[in-house]
Amino acid sequence: MSTETKPDKVRDRILKTAGELFYCEGINATGVDRISEAAGVSKRSLYQRFASKDELVVAYLVAAGAAYLDGVVPPEDDEKTPRDRMLAVFSGLQNKSFEADFRGCPCINAAAELADAAHPARVTAVENKLLLQGFFARQAALAGALDPPGLAQQLMMVFDGGMSYALVHDTTIPGSCHAAAQALIEAQLPR
């Protein structure tokens, strides 16, 4: 007897639709009526799969955060040096900003909309950001950085700042974001 569960196509459609709406229009601006209508499902079907809008937002951030990281973070076991892996994140980020539907980081957007630091979706957003910071810290340590946690924190500020800059100015992420990351990395690495 198989313990695998069948894919729930309705759940997947709700999550995909909600994700697109949350990312493009905002979490607070998108109600469950709008989501159920756009997904072509009843509110009852939505609530059978997600007990609340908050639960749906958390599921969106888990999926969106992972997809975002997959789109910019290189594999940790590739042939690149740790230094080049860290810089590849900023190249990937700049490339992502050329996408037509670029609206910055879904986790930053969620944190900006949700004032309560204990809100489950905000906690999920922070956890996603810590995954990237952990990547930077591991790569910085492998590269021999003087202060891997400090460098990781600085790189996070450049990463998040680049996205915020692009969103506020309605532009792509400038090359200066990559240059700033490179300067921080070079300042930390042994000569």
Side-chain angles (χ1 to χ4, degrees):
M1 179 175 217
S2 175
T3 59
E4 287 184 35
T5 58
K6 293 189 319 189
D8 184 341
K9 291 180 181 178
V10 172
R11 183 186 190 283
D12 294 344
R13 187 168 69 243
I14 293 167
L15 185 56
K16 181 180 184 302
T17 302
E20 291 167 357
L21 292 170
F22 291 153
Y23 187 69
C24 293
E25 299 176 13
I27 292 168
N28 292 330
T30 305
V32 292
D33 289 334
R34 172 100 165 86
I35 296 166
S36 62
E37 179 184 323
V41 300
S42 67
K43 282 189 355 184
R44 180 176 179 202
S45 291
L46 186 149
Y47 283 121
Q48 286 173 335
R49 286 152 178 92
F50 300 96
S52 65
K53 180 182 174 185
D54 287 346
E55 186 178 301
L56 179 56
V57 174
V58 169
Y60 152 67
L61 288 174
V62 168
Y68 211 87
L69 289 178
D70 286 345
V72 298
V73 176
E76 293 190 56
D77 61 353
D78 65 8
E79 296 299 317
K80 293 182 178 125
T81 66
R83 173 193 172 278
D84 289 342
R85 280 188 210 110
M86 289 185 279
L87 289 173
V89 170
F90 294 92
S91 298
L93 178 62
Q94 188 173 27
N95 291 339
K96 192 172 251 330
S97 75
F98 287 102
E99 295 174 3
D101 64 346
F102 179 74
R103 295 267 315 132
C105 173
C107 295
I108 291 174
N109 297 348
E113 283 196 68
L114 305 170
D116 180 5
H119 189 288
R122 184 135 178 220
V123 169
T124 300
V126 171
E127 288 169 353
N128 280 332
K129 299 308 281 182
L130 290 174
L131 290 174
L132 179 57
Q133 190 165 334
F135 170 83
F136 284 139
R138 286 188 303 280
Q139 297 309 306
L142 289 170
L146 300 172
D147 177 12
L151 178 56
Q153 185 180 52
Q154 291 171 336
L155 293 175
M156 284 303 301
M157 287 189 278
V158 172
F159 184 91
D160 290 347
M163 278 191 287
S164 296
Y165 180 91
L167 193 57
V168 167
H169 295 278
D170 192 27
T171 188
T172 58
I173 293 173
S176 58
C177 184
H178 189 280
Q182 185 171 355
L184 289 169
I185 292 167
E186 297 302 329
Q188 284 262 347
L189 297 186
R191 305 237 177 247

